[in-house]
Amino acid sequence: MKKTGITGVILAGGEARRMGGGDKGLVELCGKPLIEHVLAALSPQVDTIIINANRNRERYAAYGYPVVADSRKGFQGPLAGMLSCLEEAETEFMVTVPCDSPLLPDDLVARLFRQLSEEQAEISVAHNGDRMQPVFALMAANLASSMQAFLDGGERKIDRWFEGHRLALTDFSDEPECFRNINNPAELAHMEAQLNG
C-alpha cells in the first residue's frame, strides 16, 4: 500500500467531560501530550495530517499541521469532526483516529486499506475481536455529502451512518490493546504506570 493519497485525521474536538472538561489531546502521558504520541504513530502511515480541534487551536497548530474545527456548533460528536475534515481533505481516502489512544499499531492504516480493497468497501473499520472501534476508520473521501445529509437529518450515531455504506470490518483481535483510550484520570495513571514498567 502506498501512503500517498491518504489523509490522517486526529479527532481532538470533544468535550472530555470525564476528564473534567480539559482538552484531552493536551493531557500529558509520560511527559508528552497525548496528541504527540498519536502524531508519532500515525504520521509515518499517511501522506498528510489534519487535526480536528475546537479549542486551543493555536497549540495544536504549533505541530505544523492544519487544524480544522467542527463546522457545526455544539460538540455534535465524532461525525461532525469527520465531516469538517472530509470537506478539507484533498486525498482519495481519509483515516481517522482519536487523540486519546496513544498505542496505535504501526500497521493500522495498511490493514484498514487492505481490507477495504479486498472487500471493495467504502469504509473500513477496526474490530478488536470483541467489538467495532468506530473512530478508527478509513473511508473514501467522497462520502462528505452522505455524512452531511445524515447529520442534517438530526442523526449523530456513527454506527447508523456506517449502515448506509459498504462496510469492511478489519480484524485486530491479535492486538486489541492498541485501541485502549484514556477517558479519565484513573485510566491515565494506569496507562502511565504500565508504560513506565
Side-chain angles (χ1 to χ4, degrees):
M1 184 205 72
K2 293 181 180 178
K3 66 178 182 177
T4 303
I6 299 178
T7 296
V9 169
I10 301 175
L11 298 168
E15 290 182 282
R17 283 173 292 202
R18 285 179 286 178
M19 285 293 281
D23 195 326
K24 256 207 278 193
L26 301 175
V27 170
E28 290 202 355
L29 171 71
C30 300
K32 290 193 304 187
L34 282 171
I35 188 80
E36 291 186 20
H37 293 272
V38 178
L39 278 169
L42 184 63
S43 58
Q45 302 186 51
V46 295
D47 185 54
T48 185
I49 283 180
I50 296 173
I51 299 173
N52 166 235
N54 293 311
R55 298 178 287 175
N56 299 302
R57 295 179 64 188
E58 297 80 10
R59 284 191 64 186
Y60 285 117
Y63 291 106
Y65 299 103
V67 179
V68 173
D70 293 359
S71 55
R72 292 165 175 264
K73 303 302 178 193
F75 295 99
Q76 293 190 27
L79 274 180
M82 289 179 179
L83 175 60
S84 295
C85 294
L86 270 180
E87 292 171 340
E88 293 290 326
E90 297 179 354
T91 54
E92 188 177 358
F93 296 98
M94 184 180 91
V95 65
T96 62
V97 298
C99 68
D100 62 350
S101 294
L103 306 179
L104 290 182
D106 59 11
D107 61 351
L108 173 75
V109 178
R111 289 169 69 168
L112 289 171
F113 189 85
R114 184 165 58 245
Q115 199 68 32
L116 180 136
S117 300
E118 286 177 3
E119 298 190 32
Q120 297 185 348
E122 295 171 290
I123 305 165
S124 178
V125 181
H127 195 288
N128 69 357
D130 180 39
R131 61 190 180 89
M132 184 168 65
Q133 302 292 317
V135 290
F136 297 85
L138 174 80
M139 64 192 72
N142 62 6
L143 296 177
S145 58
S146 160
M147 198 179 286
Q148 175 90 50
F150 183 80
L151 289 166
D152 285 348
E155 297 275 8
R156 291 190 187 183
K157 198 162 171 53
I158 194 168
D159 307 38
R160 285 182 56 81
W161 180 70
F162 286 159
E163 289 170 6
H165 297 279
R166 297 191 308 277
L167 181 68
L169 293 179
T170 302
D171 182 16
F172 283 88
S173 58
D174 57 316
E175 44 183 341
E177 283 289 294
C178 66
F179 302 108
R180 274 182 55 201
N181 66 329
I182 294 171
N183 288 310
N184 55 55
E187 290 176 358
L188 179 69
H190 178 72
M191 186 175 289
E192 188 152 87
Q194 196 172 23
L195 292 176
N196 285 331

